[in-house]
Amino acid sequence: GTKKKATCPGLGLFYTILSAFLFSVASLFLKKLEDLHSVEVSAFRCVFQMAFILPGLIYYKTGFLGPKGKRIFLFFRGFLGSIAMVLLYYAYQVMPLADATVITFTSPVFTSLLAWIFLKEKYSLWDLLFTLFAVTGVILIARPPFLFGSRVTGIEGSYSDHLKGTIAAIASTLSAASTIVIIRKVGKSVHFFLSIWYYAVIGLIGCVITLFVLNEWRLPHCGRDRVFLILIGLLGLGGQIFLTKALQIEKAGPVSIMRTMDVVFAFILQALFLNQIPTWWTVGGALCVVASSCGTAIRKWRHSVKKAKQREI
């Protein structure tokens, strides 16, 4: 018989780095947008996702509602996922790009904690240690005055906005971690296109309602802002595609570790295009968060390898 052509070594990790770069550039364009509410940007992002996911749903004949027993889980996956997106975009707008990016990388740690609570997955002392590392990193980035004094330096705008952005980024991370737990609960019984479809549809409906309630809907300025909106949608979609392809040909552990390149890109782009040099507090917080995220990924990777070897025996 013919041998299957071997995958190019390291291709999955290259896709992961490319995905991190695309996500980081999309975040940079978001920072460059003027006079557009984060909810409106999220609505445009949902429209792009719906436009590209719809042909996939038709091709794979998945339907638009999913299995009856799974619809409630899909609804909450879409609801929490859209909340995570809006809050993350808000955090990007009101605080330094690198700070918001670093906080989002506490997601694996919170995912382990929520999976222990709701799915009864194992939660060891190592997981607790990684959680404490992540919390320490967030504290170094937030720099609350009662710990760091009244004169907090190296933040963008007022400390009030910085604090709001930090809270929004943490809430976004918790919401994203909750969606991952829901996706684990659903498993492979639902096509991933359908999961993204719920995320886009519920997100769009929620964003439109919120915009009318807040009276924040406005047409983006001609030229640059409209181009940025299109690029944010395309780059976000490209980042998701390459991340999905990476997970298809590479183990989840190395992909999770390589995704921390997003933090590196955020630091570089912030310094080059926003003229903001990250403080040593941010660097220290980033090291704590990256260490906790990598530690969590390595432990899960080793655990999956061990289980695979046991099944072979």
Side-chain angles (χ1 to χ4, degrees):
T2 58
K3 290 185 178 180
K4 187 178 179 180
K5 187 178 179 180
T7 305
C8 176
L11 183 61
L13 300 183
F14 171 74
Y15 283 154
T16 307
I17 295 174
L18 185 56
S19 169
F21 178 73
L22 294 178
F23 281 134
S24 298
V25 176
S27 304
L28 175 66
F29 287 145
L30 180 63
K31 292 287 291 182
K32 290 288 188 178
L33 277 176
E34 297 177 358
D35 299 327
L36 269 184
H37 200 280
S38 58
V39 178
E40 186 171 351
V41 181
S42 303
F44 277 101
R45 170 78 180 273
C46 290
V47 170
F48 268 93
Q49 285 188 326
M50 289 174 64
F52 282 92
I53 291 299
L54 184 59
L57 293 179
I58 297 172
Y59 178 79
Y60 288 106
K61 299 178 181 179
T62 61
F64 296 98
L65 297 177
K68 286 186 178 180
K70 306 295 182 181
R71 291 174 187 174
I72 185 65
F73 295 110
L74 287 170
F75 171 81
F76 280 109
R77 181 266 182 272
F79 179 71
L80 291 170
S82 59
I83 287 177
M85 175 177 59
V86 172
L87 291 174
L88 179 60
Y89 282 2
Y90 175 78
Y92 280 139
Q93 288 183 332
V94 300
M95 68 187 301
L97 178 64
D99 291 15
T101 303
V102 169
I103 292 176
T104 62
F105 273 83
T106 59
S107 180
V109 180
F110 289 122
T111 300
S112 297
L113 181 60
L114 293 176
W116 171 59
I117 296 173
F118 295 106
L119 301 181
K120 308 303 179 184
E121 293 186 5
K122 187 178 179 181
Y123 190 81
S124 65
L125 289 176
W126 279 108
D127 293 312
L128 177 60
L129 179 63
F130 296 143
T131 302
L132 294 177
F133 261 92
V135 172
T136 302
V138 172
I139 291 173
L140 291 176
I141 291 170
R143 300 191 288 282
F146 68 88
L147 289 177
F148 293 83
S150 57
R151 294 183 179 180
V152 181
T153 59
I155 64 173
E156 178 182 322
S158 66
Y159 181 77
S160 175
D161 286 341
H162 184 80
L163 183 60
K164 290 177 184 177
T166 301
I167 294 172
I170 295 172
S172 171
T173 301
L174 288 171
S175 297
S178 300
T179 63
I180 293 174
V181 171
I182 292 173
I183 291 172
R184 283 189 191 175
K185 177 70 176 178
V186 172
K188 296 181 180 179
S189 60
V190 175
H191 197 281
F192 72 92
F193 270 5
L194 195 59
S195 177
I196 300 174
W197 172 255
Y198 265 82
Y199 166 61
V201 171
I202 294 175
L204 180 60
I205 294 172
C207 288
V208 170
I209 294 173
T210 304
L211 285 171
F212 277 103
V213 170
L214 298 176
N215 196 25
E216 287 286 350
W217 171 261
R218 60 174 65 91
L219 286 175
H221 295 301
C222 291
R224 193 182 72 165
D225 282 1
R226 297 187 183 185
V227 172
F228 282 165
L229 272 177
I230 295 172
L231 289 175
I232 289 170
L234 292 176
L235 290 169
L237 183 66
Q240 286 186 334
I241 290 172
F242 281 113
L243 183 60
T244 302
K245 289 179 70 67
L247 289 169
Q248 287 176 341
I249 60 178
E250 185 61 79
K251 291 183 174 64
V255 171
S256 297
I257 296 170
M258 196 58 67
R259 276 211 66 199
T260 56
M261 284 298 296
D262 203 334
V263 176
V264 178
F265 288 134
F267 274 69
I268 295 172
L269 294 175
Q270 177 176 303
L272 290 179
F273 297 100
L274 301 177
N275 297 320
Q276 294 175 348
I277 305 300
T279 65
W280 286 110
W281 293 116
T282 299
V283 173
L287 291 174
C288 288
V289 170
V290 168
S292 67
S293 179
C294 290
T296 303
I298 291 171
R299 286 202 75 251
K300 290 185 179 298
W301 180 23
R302 290 182 61 186
H303 181 66
S304 63
V305 170
K306 185 178 179 180
K307 287 181 68 176
K309 288 182 178 179
Q310 288 175 347
R311 283 196 295 266
E312 289 178 1
I313 296 173

